[in-house]
Amino acid sequence: MAPQERTVVVTGFGPFREHDVNASWVAVQELNKLGLGEDIQLLVYEIPVEYQKVKELVPTIWKEHQPRIVVHVGVSGVANAVTLEQCGKNHGYMGLDNVCSAPGSHCCVEGGPACLDSTIDMENVRQTVQAAGLHVELSVSHDAGRYLCDYAYYTSLYFGKGMTAFIHVPPLGKPYTALELAQALQAIIWAMLEQLNSSA
């Protein structure tokens, strides 16, 4: 079955550690209010900060919706820019999640490649969005952090055959509001879809 060309799934994470309110999920909820235009069906999910939940939910999203793209959003306590992650890593997951658990193998997919790259050229997306005059700083990273963000990203890249993106946002008010983050997400996703459509 062909991917649903008009369906985009965007996820945010629930609370964890010092992040009682997770900026990623707040931003995704704001994005859901803005939408992605009449032609695109936007579906949003909140993912618990638990490895087992990620392992169950991410493949289910791909199987049930067969979206054009899945965009995962997470919060980074050290970021002050919106960060586009180019790749996900398979190994090194030792940090405990919200239920004090970690993968027994310390990896996402046993036997999978050490690193998976997104089909999307994140530097190209960054340049496109910044050139459009968005007043939010963007950066590109090749290390999503070896915690639940990276774990979800790799898992999604694996099951989505690269048609996945991960975006790290700073905590709310440091320096952006939820609406500013949502507007940035909207512009970024539009740029990603444009890139995918032009290369199709």
Side-chain angles (χ1 to χ4, degrees):
M1 190 183 295
Q4 299 301 310
E5 296 294 329
R6 299 182 184 278
T7 301
V8 173
V9 177
V10 182
T11 74
F13 282 98
F16 74 105
R17 296 179 182 167
E18 71 274 18
H19 300 281
D20 296 330
V21 175
N22 194 315
S24 69
W25 178 234
V26 175
V28 169
Q29 288 176 295
E30 284 293 319
L31 172 66
N32 198 34
K33 294 175 193 173
L34 295 176
L36 291 171
E38 292 181 7
D39 293 339
I40 298 172
Q41 180 188 30
L42 171 62
L43 303 173
V44 302
Y45 285 87
E46 181 182 15
I47 299 181
V49 180
E50 300 175 28
Y51 291 104
Q52 188 59 38
K53 298 286 188 188
V54 169
K55 192 174 181 179
E56 294 166 1
L57 185 57
V58 169
T60 299
I61 287 171
W62 280 103
K63 186 176 180 181
E64 286 189 2
H65 301 298
Q66 300 198 351
R68 182 75 170 101
I69 184 176
V70 174
V71 179
H72 301 285
V73 185
V75 66
S76 169
V78 297
N80 52 20
V82 173
T83 306
L84 311 177
E85 301 290 350
Q86 185 62 58
C87 56
K89 306 291 198 308
N90 194 17
H91 303 284
Y93 295 91
M94 293 181 246
L96 299 181
D97 63 13
N98 277 358
V99 292
C100 296
S101 178
S105 60
H106 303 305
C107 74
C108 302
V109 179
E110 290 192 50
C115 179
L116 288 175
D117 268 289
S118 175
T119 303
I120 298 155
D121 180 339
M122 297 300 173
E123 178 56 30
N124 178 272
V125 170
R126 187 193 70 77
Q127 292 177 13
T128 299
V129 173
Q130 296 282 210
L134 185 77
H135 298 299
V136 171
E137 185 184 347
L138 303 185
S139 65
V140 175
S141 161
H142 290 81
D143 183 1
R146 300 298 211 297
Y147 191 49
L148 268 294
C149 291
D150 215 345
Y151 189 85
Y153 194 21
Y154 184 95
T155 303
S156 198
L157 286 165
Y158 185 84
F159 285 98
K161 298 178 172 57
M163 302 298 283
T164 305
F166 197 100
I167 302 169
H168 266 121
V169 297
L172 293 174
K174 298 183 177 180
Y176 306 113
T177 65
L179 179 58
E180 286 172 323
L181 292 176
Q183 290 169 335
L185 293 177
Q186 185 187 56
I188 290 164
I189 294 168
W190 279 339
M192 290 175 175
L193 291 171
E194 185 181 331
Q195 185 185 122
L196 291 173
N197 290 339
S198 67
S199 63

